[in-house]
Amino acid sequence: MDEHWTDEHRPDGPWTTVTIAADAARPHDAALQWVVAHADRGVERLRVVGVDPALEGRVGADGKRVAEHVADAARAAMPDVEVRIVRHAGPLAAALVTESEVGDLLVVGAFRNRRGSTIGSAPARAAERAAVPTVIVPDGPHPIDGDVVLAVDEPLDERAVAIAVAEARRRHRRLTLLRAWEMPVLTRTGLTDFAEDPLRWRQENAALLQRVTDRLVDRFPDLRLRPLLVEGHPGRAIAAHTRTASLVVLGQGHVHVLSGSVLHDVLRESVAPVCVIPGTGRAPRAAGRRTARTTAERRTEPAPSEPDPVEA
């Protein structure tokens, strides 16, 4: 476990305080449904982040503002959970980053057909800068409630491992360890040695995946593990496997890479919820200590390879 996380805020611990975005530009109902389905993770407080009421849209036959609509739906679905509305006058992405410092998890909805737009990029911007893990939930039905998928990088992000393992255990699902790789082509000095020997590059990635698999088999003998080596652009390769996933977990190594943003590529095409581990290791503040600034048997399957502020 990352040394910057306290026992109180372990990523695999209870999500006591969850923060959710309430905005007409995002599918807040899909995000709320995901939170309700995970209420057994110890959710005690839900903070609904909305914008200035003067700018806030209205939804439903009764014309409620979005934040009130989400809060009322949350209270009906989770009567034992304390629900509060927190409003900010600035951009929602910045508000979510600020409010993420108070809780344990941030949940944001994302419309699939807007992810390449300025509106659609807001969840990714919030996830990159948030103080806690962020789950981005796409709109529409999720095709298959399948494996939990952990995107593998080295060094392994222990916070990502903790969340992926906890979710696989909770849902009684297999944990797929996905290593996506592509050939490097150019460096500042020209072609790399690996570009002259593709088999060597593939073997290096296969060896990395095997090291990670061996470690996790020893640590979590109760889990079914499936190592999977995929050749291709990491973002698109990971996104392709969201069609058979219940949750995809990205460690901080997948948020930014030299060839571009893997996070943005995954979110653009994902059909399953994606959990993004923040690049920061700081622990969030407890909700009760706010500052004035913030209103079975071990089974391992063989690794297949695929082809070439104010509260209301």
Side-chain angles (χ1 to χ4, degrees), residues 170-208:
R170 173 186 172 274
R171 302 179 70 88
H172 305 289
R173 293 290 185 266
R174 182 175 60 181
L175 178 58
T176 289
L177 308 176
L178 174 60
R179 172 62 180 177
W181 65 281
E182 64 179 342
M183 287 290 301
V185 180
L186 295 174
T187 66
R188 292 180 180 178
T189 57
L191 289 174
T192 67
D193 291 338
F194 286 129
E196 298 173 2
D197 187 356
L199 180 59
R200 179 184 172 193
W201 185 247
R202 186 187 186 284
Q203 290 172 338
E204 288 289 325
N205 281 273
L208 185 159

Side-chain angles (χ1 to χ4, degrees), residues 64-240:
K64 288 183 181 178
R65 291 190 173 93
V66 177
E68 278 81 6
H69 169 79
V70 174
D72 287 348
R75 293 183 182 110
M78 301 180 293
D80 295 330
V81 173
E82 176 190 343
V83 180
R84 293 184 179 181
I85 297 174
V86 182
R87 298 188 184 280
H88 284 255
L92 185 64
L96 293 174
V97 172
T98 298
E99 292 299 328
S100 72
E101 298 181 359
V102 177
D104 305 296
L105 186 73
L106 174 63
V107 182
V108 186
F111 284 115
R112 294 175 186 172
N113 60 353
R114 299 186 187 178
R115 294 180 199 172
S117 66
T118 301
I119 289 177
S121 65
R125 294 200 307 272
E128 288 174 321
R129 298 161 50 201
V132 295
T134 301
V135 175
I136 299 175
V137 184
D139 65 316
H142 304 143
I144 297 178
D145 188 17
D147 290 6
V148 175
V149 175
L150 173 63
V152 173
D153 202 358
E154 203 170 45
L156 195 60
D157 190 327
E158 291 294 339
R159 296 167 297 167
V161 171
I163 287 179
V165 168
E167 185 71 1
R169 283 174 170 163
R170 173 186 172 274
R171 302 179 70 88
H172 305 289
R173 293 290 185 266
R174 182 175 60 181
L175 178 58
T176 289
L177 308 176
L178 174 60
R179 172 62 180 177
W181 65 281
E182 64 179 342
M183 287 290 301
V185 180
L186 295 174
T187 66
R188 292 180 180 178
T189 57
L191 289 174
T192 67
D193 291 338
F194 286 129
E196 298 173 2
D197 187 356
L199 180 59
R200 179 184 172 193
W201 185 247
R202 186 187 186 284
Q203 290 172 338
E204 288 289 325
N205 281 273
L208 185 159
L209 179 59
Q210 190 60 55
R211 287 194 301 272
V212 170
T213 302
D214 290 344
R215 286 172 53 192
L216 297 188
V217 164
D218 288 338
R219 290 169 57 186
F220 308 109
D222 59 309
L223 287 183
R224 289 183 298 150
L225 301 178
R226 178 199 181 204
L228 179 61
L229 185 65
V230 180
E231 180 178 359
H233 182 275
R236 291 190 291 271
I238 294 170

